[in-house]
Amino acid sequence: MMPFRVTARRPPPRVTQLSLPVEEGTARGPTAFCQSAAASALVMLQLLPIAAQTPDSTPTPVHFLESTSQSGLDFRHRHGGMGRKFLIETMGSGGGFLDFDNDGWIDIYLVQSGSHQPQGREANQLYRNRADGTFERVRDAAGASDTGYGMGCTFADYDNDGWTDIYITNFGPNVLLRNRGNGTFEDVSQKSGTDDPRWSVSAAFADVNGDGWLDLYVANYLKFDYANHVECGDKDDPSYCHPDVYPAAPNSFYLNQGDGTFREASASQGLKPLNPASGKSLGVIFFDMEGDGDSDLYVANDSTANFLFENLGSGRFRDVSTFSGTAYNLDGKTEAGMGIAAGDINRDGRIDLVVTHLDFETNTLYLNEGAGFFTDHTDRTGLGGPSKSMVGFGVNLEDFDNDGDLDLFVANGHVIDNIARENPSLSHAQPDQLFLNDGSGRFKEISSQAGGYFQRPTVSRGSAVGDIDNDGDLDLLISANNQPAALLKNQSGGSWIRFQLRGRHCNRDGIGAKVRVQAGDLRLQREVRSASSYAGQSDTRLHFGLGSLQKAEKVEVRWPCGKKQVMTALDANRLHRIQEPR
């Protein structure tokens, strides 16, 4: 097992090791690489180089500066359409943030679709963060440039070797790229058993049974191929079809065997829906809906009932979709689910859900009432009206203004490129939207004040959040359909604190861990997740805005294997790296 290490491009940061109290929970299923570790309880706090900031108690408006070209991000998605209007063309693609070289600076991965013919198809692109505000393409020889007809991606260290791996969803066989740790990747799709051949869009890793190994859920969309393509719309001006034209493709769940391979286990783990006709899945997220320490699963479906699977504690699930109130909207209707975000919007200690949808629907907010119940609070929280004419895909709940509550970003773009012909009030390209949380869980749209990018319509799909320059505010990556990707740098201020978790007994990424922060009157919580939004992934480091506060009085970490750690008096405006006790 390779130890976790940082390859710095700047002088090495200071590292302080503190022996801190640890509350032991129920450790479930130790892995082989942890059994030989010494029994210690060390927490490593690492202060990464950051831009100097002086937090100000005066609230500052959120403003993003588009820096796509200045940063060297030259990616343009191509769907390869030639007028036949194959449905796969309009649904891609995604991307996200990962630190593939362990240097403390997040890198970018973007998924390409390209030609319908494999010959000459453009490849996905990995961009390395130079730590100076710019990115450089990683050469194709590194092995990260898959050339399938791509849809999305997710990142995690599935083999616990200390390096972040890449999983790519395609129209066609999916691809798992194992990070060798030397700047190159190895295609282990077939060997690992994760080369799902169907039309996959989103995927997410989580350790559902607490054995220390990350499992994988893949959201598959439709049973579509070129042979069963249906012509929709006018004969002389065809349109992309509604998904009702095609049957749903079943989703896949792969249980990690701990030896580099996975076993398809949807049926044995209870992840087959009660209604086998539903599905057409686009978004997926693991989150802890009941606060019981295990990973539950929510899936957004296009025009069929959404799925919510409750983890019963051993990695077996049961379908609670209808019972929970998350299968339908307030009117009892299905909606065209695209992307998903999860977070505690009103700071009541429970994780809520936001799902993006088609126009003439709303982007729906499900408020977690506890005991496994959710209610549709869309209109009460101010999200209904602004989303009626939009088609939402990517969605992120993050603290963009560093005031302590979760704000909302939505990436918009219609799926029908000639929609204005059918309805002149609608458009293919649409402006993305930014909503600020007032602290009580109500949102106000501030897109018109957030920067020039928000005034320009695009055909956005995926979105991801991360601090690309380690300056303490959260930046945005947006992928677009048949258009260039965009990178937005956040110009906001405010105090903050950030955590990066590294597991020993638990999975190396700490996915499924929960961090609670007490600072002044703020009581905040975040979960470490792999994928969210639509077809992509945000930075896995946990970010908390603190307003004008300069310290967190108490920080509690609950690891997915059962242990708890408590730390006190941690400085703000720092990244704290916390390692699980041996």
Side-chain angles (χ1 to χ4, degrees):
M1 177 56 54
M2 299 181 68
F4 175 66
R5 61 193 178 97
V6 175
T7 305
R9 302 190 196 113
R10 296 184 178 183
R14 293 185 295 114
V15 177
T16 304
Q17 289 189 340
L18 303 176
S19 182
L20 299 177
V22 178
E23 178 183 344
E24 295 289 345
T26 303
R28 299 175 292 177
T31 55
F33 73 91
C34 293
Q35 290 174 345
S36 61
S40 65
L42 295 181
V43 176
M44 184 168 64
L45 306 181
Q46 179 164 340
L47 312 183
L48 288 188
I50 59 172
Q53 294 192 40
T54 303
D56 186 351
S57 59
T58 305
T60 56
V62 179
H63 188 272
F64 286 90
L65 179 67
E66 185 170 4
S67 60
T68 312
S69 58
Q70 297 92 324
S71 68
L73 191 66
D74 57 358
F75 182 87
R76 181 186 180 95
H77 175 260
R78 303 184 194 279
H79 64 41
M82 301 294 289
R84 293 288 306 280
K85 300 297 174 72
F86 297 120
L87 190 54
I88 56 173
E89 294 167 1
T90 193
M91 302 306 295
S93 68
F97 292 116
L98 74 162
D99 184 2
F100 83 95
D101 52 2
N102 284 350
D103 67 349
W105 299 86
I106 55 173
D107 311 298
I108 291 174
Y109 193 82
L110 288 162
V111 177
Q112 185 62 271
S113 302
S115 170
H116 294 293
Q117 300 297 325
Q119 297 81 7
R121 185 178 287 165
E122 295 182 58
N124 302 343
Q125 293 297 329
L126 175 62
Y127 291 84
R128 177 177 173 267
N129 192 330
R130 288 192 177 113
D132 61 0
T134 66
F135 292 81
E136 63 180 348
R137 279 196 186 195
V138 174
R139 65 190 186 279
D140 292 345
S145 302
D146 177 56
T147 56
Y149 195 96
M151 287 287 152
C153 55
T154 186
F155 320 116
D157 183 3
Y158 79 91
D159 53 359
N160 287 324
D161 67 350
W163 301 93
T164 301
D165 311 299
I166 300 173
Y167 187 73
I168 303 156
T169 57
N170 289 323
F171 170 66
N174 295 341
V175 173
L176 178 60
L177 301 177
R178 179 181 173 271
N179 191 334
R180 292 190 177 106
N182 61 0
T184 68
F185 292 81
E186 171 192 8
D187 187 339
V188 294
S189 312
Q190 293 184 346
K191 183 170 66 174
S192 66
T194 59
D195 54 338
D196 196 315
R198 290 166 287 199
W199 179 2
S200 307
V201 177
S202 295
F205 286 97
D207 179 8
V208 304
N209 56 4
D211 66 353
W213 299 97
L214 290 172
D215 311 301
L216 176 65
Y217 187 88
V218 179
N220 294 317
Y221 190 34
L222 304 174
K223 291 182 179 178
F224 166 85
D225 58 39
Y226 296 114
N228 74 350
H229 169 63
V230 177
E231 301 284 350
C232 294
D234 293 345
K235 181 179 180 180
D236 296 330
D237 188 14
S239 297
Y240 291 110
C241 292
H242 191 279
D244 286 351
V245 172
Y246 302 98
N251 297 336
S252 301
F253 175 69
Y254 297 100
L255 201 63
N256 194 329
Q257 303 299 288
D259 59 359
T261 67
F262 292 77
R263 174 174 60 87
E264 212 293 326
S266 300
S268 64
Q269 301 306 122
L271 287 169
K272 292 292 186 182
L274 293 176
N275 181 2
S278 58
K280 304 182 181 180
S281 302
L282 290 174
V284 58
I285 195 168
F286 282 100
F287 76 112
D288 184 0
M289 71 170 175
E290 295 176 307
D292 58 1
D294 49 37
S295 294
D296 307 297
L297 175 67
Y298 189 66
V299 182
N301 294 325
D302 192 354
S303 303
T304 69
N306 298 327
F307 299 150
L308 179 59
F309 294 99
E310 178 190 5
N311 192 331
L312 300 177
S314 60
R316 286 188 55 82
F317 293 81
R318 66 174 176 177
D319 186 343
V320 296
S321 309
T322 303
F323 173 80
S324 67
T326 61
Y328 307 95
N329 67 6
L330 184 63
D331 298 324
K333 296 180 179 179
T334 61
E335 295 179 295
M338 313 286 194
I340 313 172
D344 183 2
I345 68 158
N346 55 0
R347 301 202 299 245
D348 65 354
R350 296 187 288 265
I351 305 299
D352 312 300
L353 295 166
V354 176
V355 186
T356 54
H357 294 115
L358 200 65
D359 51 11
F360 302 112
E361 300 174 345
T362 65
N363 294 332
T364 303
L365 188 148
Y366 296 101
L367 195 71
N368 191 336
E369 305 285 5
F373 293 102
F374 293 76
T375 54
D376 182 343
H377 274 240
T378 304
D379 289 330
R380 298 184 215 177
T381 52
L383 295 179
S387 61
K388 282 281 190 180
S389 62
M390 301 293 183
V391 177
F393 276 85
V395 57
N396 306 93
L397 279 168
E398 293 287 353
D399 189 355
F400 293 109
D401 57 356
N402 282 338
D403 65 350
D405 49 45
L406 294 176
D407 310 305
L408 182 70
F409 172 82
V410 181
N412 296 314
H414 214 286
V415 291
I416 301 175
D417 56 357
N418 53 4
I419 188 63
R421 183 201 66 192
E422 301 177 16
N423 187 335
S425 68
L426 301 176
S427 62
H428 185 214
Q430 301 174 343
D432 295 342
Q433 294 172 296
L434 185 66
F435 299 84
L436 282 193
N437 190 331
D438 69 359
S440 68
R442 287 189 58 83
F443 293 89
K444 178 182 178 182
E445 186 180 359
I446 62 156
S447 308
S448 62
Q449 311 159 41
Y453 170 83
F454 291 89
Q455 316 311 311
R456 188 181 77 243
T458 58
V459 188
S460 297
R461 290 296 181 257
S463 61
V465 177
D467 186 356
I468 63 171
D469 45 9
N470 286 333
D471 67 349
D473 45 32
L474 294 173
D475 310 305
L476 275 164
L477 172 70
I478 304 114
S479 61
N481 182 260
N482 215 37
Q483 293 181 341
L487 186 62
L488 310 183
K489 285 189 178 180
N490 192 337
Q491 306 296 296
S492 305
S495 188
W496 53 276
I497 192 168
R498 188 173 294 154
F499 301 93
Q500 184 176 25
L501 273 57
R502 286 291 177 259
R504 283 194 174 106
H505 171 83
C506 301
N507 65 86
R508 175 257 185 185
D509 291 331
I511 290 174
K514 182 175 292 185
V515 175
R516 292 188 173 95
V517 170
Q518 176 180 327
D521 294 332
L522 295 177
R523 303 293 184 273
L524 310 174
Q525 66 170 330
R526 306 280 190 271
E527 294 178 334
V528 183
R529 301 190 186 100
S530 61
S532 61
S533 187
Y534 176 83
Q537 180 165 324
S538 293
D539 184 9
T540 56
R541 299 177 297 182
L542 298 182
H543 179 94
F544 298 79
L546 298 181
S548 60
L549 301 172
Q550 299 299 300
K551 193 176 293 292
E553 286 85 20
K554 180 181 178 182
V555 173
E556 177 185 292
V557 180
R558 187 181 69 189
W559 294 89
C561 301
K563 295 185 180 71
K564 291 183 181 179
Q565 291 170 272
V566 177
M567 293 145 279
T568 58
L570 296 188
D571 289 335
N573 304 309
R574 293 289 185 273
L575 168 66
H576 300 274
R577 181 168 289 157
I578 303 175
Q579 197 159 30
E580 181 194 7
R582 294 183 185 276

